[in-house]
Amino acid sequence: MKQSTYGGLLYIVLIIPPVINFLESIMILHMLVQLPLLIYAGWLMGKGIIKKYPGFFQKWNTNGIPGILFVFIVTMYWMIPRAMDETLILWYVELFKFMSLPLVGLVFRDSWGKLQILGKAFVFLNYLPMFGLMAWLYIDSPIQICNNYLEIEQQTLGWGFVVITAMMVFYLIQIAFIDHSEKG
């Protein structure tokens, strides 16, 4: 089976109402499982779509920067606590989530390969403090930020962001100690 087919199947599974209800019932599953899986589904489907319409992506996203800006804007929106709340009560925000995040995956797939090493480092080093800030916000907030989730759930999500941030730091340390010279 092709990657695009796997992406389409994953997307279909993610839009099944019992799956939606389960993933959205626990805050950490909503933010750190459902949202990344929607992006991953779009990334998988992206291979076939980009291959089918190469001229469009070459014209619109020549160097990868417009696409990465789109990825930043949409992912930053979905990190806002109110956006998470609104998906549970407003059907059109839920629809926007299921449309925008697979599109993020598709655009990210097209953009990442076009970015130079400095652009890739910029992306990585922007998400690192963003995840750290989200960890601090969810763990240390003295009030309940999301109306539809308990405080303990937002703290659990905060610790999930701590783990992601730590993994990103370990990745940076590991990259620093790898020999990047060409091997022949």
Side-chain angles (χ1 to χ4, degrees), residues 160-172:
F161 275 116
V162 167
V163 169
I164 291 171
T165 304
M167 289 179 0
M168 291 174 78
V169 168
F170 288 135
Y171 175 76
L172 285 176

Side-chain angles (χ1 to χ4, degrees), residues 40-61:
Y40 184 60
W43 186 81
L44 288 172
M45 289 186 284
K47 185 173 186 178
I49 294 169
I50 293 166
K51 188 181 270 188
K52 190 170 183 173
Y53 304 103
F56 171 78
F57 289 98
Q58 187 57 37
K59 183 178 180 183
W60 177 78
N61 196 22

Side-chain angles (χ1 to χ4, degrees), residues 22-117:
F22 172 69
L23 291 174
E24 291 178 351
S25 67
I26 302 168
M27 191 176 195
I28 195 166
L29 293 179
H30 192 180
M31 180 78 87
L32 298 183
V33 176
Q34 185 188 45
L35 301 185
L37 282 177
L38 286 168
I39 293 170
Y40 184 60
W43 186 81
L44 288 172
M45 289 186 284
K47 185 173 186 178
I49 294 169
I50 293 166
K51 188 181 270 188
K52 190 170 183 173
Y53 304 103
F56 171 78
F57 289 98
Q58 187 57 37
K59 183 178 180 183
W60 177 78
N61 196 22
T62 305
N63 58 6
I65 293 173
I68 285 298
L69 287 174
F70 173 79
V71 169
F72 271 135
I73 291 166
V74 174
T75 55
M76 284 176 24
Y77 170 78
W78 285 113
M79 286 190 195
I80 298 170
R82 182 173 175 141
M84 299 299 295
D85 266 344
E86 288 180 342
T87 61
L88 302 176
I89 55 175
L90 301 172
W91 67 269
Y92 51 88
V93 178
E94 180 91 353
L95 179 64
F96 176 65
K97 175 177 72 175
F98 281 98
M99 291 172 47
S100 66
L101 291 173
L103 189 57
V104 162
L106 164 71
V107 172
F108 182 74
R109 181 175 200 132
D110 181 56
S111 299
W112 191 251
K114 295 176 180 178
L115 287 177
Q116 301 298 320
I117 189 72

Side-chain angles (χ1 to χ4, degrees), residues 127-139 161 165:
Y127 276 102
L128 182 65
M130 189 177 353
F131 287 148
L133 178 65
M134 295 308 295
W136 169 76
L137 173 72
Y138 282 115
I139 292 170
F161 275 116
T165 304

